[in-house]
Amino acid sequence: MSINRIILQDYPYFLTTRTQFGLDVFKDEECCRLLISDFNYYRKELEFLIYAYVIMPNHFHWIIHPSQKANISFIMNKVKGHNSFAINRYLNHKGKLWQSKFYDHVIRNEADLREKIGYIHKNPMVAGLVGALEDYK
């Protein structure tokens, strides 16, 4: 099933995606490193900006500003596709790592941007993973 998205040019997006079956692969620091590597590679390759991100045990949130080169669907497809390959190779697994869907929210003003960045930064503490924000890598 495909999702029809309204893609707005020149706006940042708050995006969330989850692992298949809620697998907690990002409790492994190397899996986090592989995801960050994919963020950085595709950020340069597709010329988008990253404002903030957090990697949780079974999902990530990030705020990106797509470029003219790629929209959010293309960016997510590339990042999740390569990351699935890299993590499966590292863990010696086969199969789907990520859910095919993702959540998107267009950020239309500075107040919304600040609220979403705060959500990202506080997410590990709210989820009970750490007692203080500075304790989450």
Side-chain angles (χ1 to χ4, degrees), residues 4-80:
N4 294 326
R5 294 185 189 281
I6 296 173
I7 304 292
L8 300 177
Q9 294 295 329
D10 298 323
Y11 284 91
Y13 283 82
F14 172 79
L15 303 169
T16 300
T17 192
R18 295 186 136 351
T19 58
Q20 187 76 348
F21 309 116
L23 297 173
D24 288 340
V25 297
F26 297 108
K27 286 183 176 180
D28 183 318
E29 197 166 320
E30 179 62 13
C31 290
C32 292
R33 190 194 67 71
L34 290 168
L35 181 57
I36 292 168
S37 177
D38 285 327
F39 285 173
N40 287 325
Y41 175 81
Y42 287 106
R43 175 184 56 82
K44 291 174 190 167
E45 182 76 17
L46 301 175
E47 300 174 359
F48 63 89
L49 301 174
I50 299 174
Y51 294 124
Y53 69 86
V54 65
I55 301 171
M56 301 295 283
N58 64 8
H59 66 283
F60 71 83
H61 303 287
W62 63 346
I63 299 172
I64 66 170
H65 195 133
S67 68
Q68 296 296 320
K69 211 168 186 180
N71 66 38
I72 58 172
S73 294
F74 189 79
I75 292 167
M76 289 296 268
N77 181 273
K78 288 295 192 180
V79 168
K80 290 180 1 178

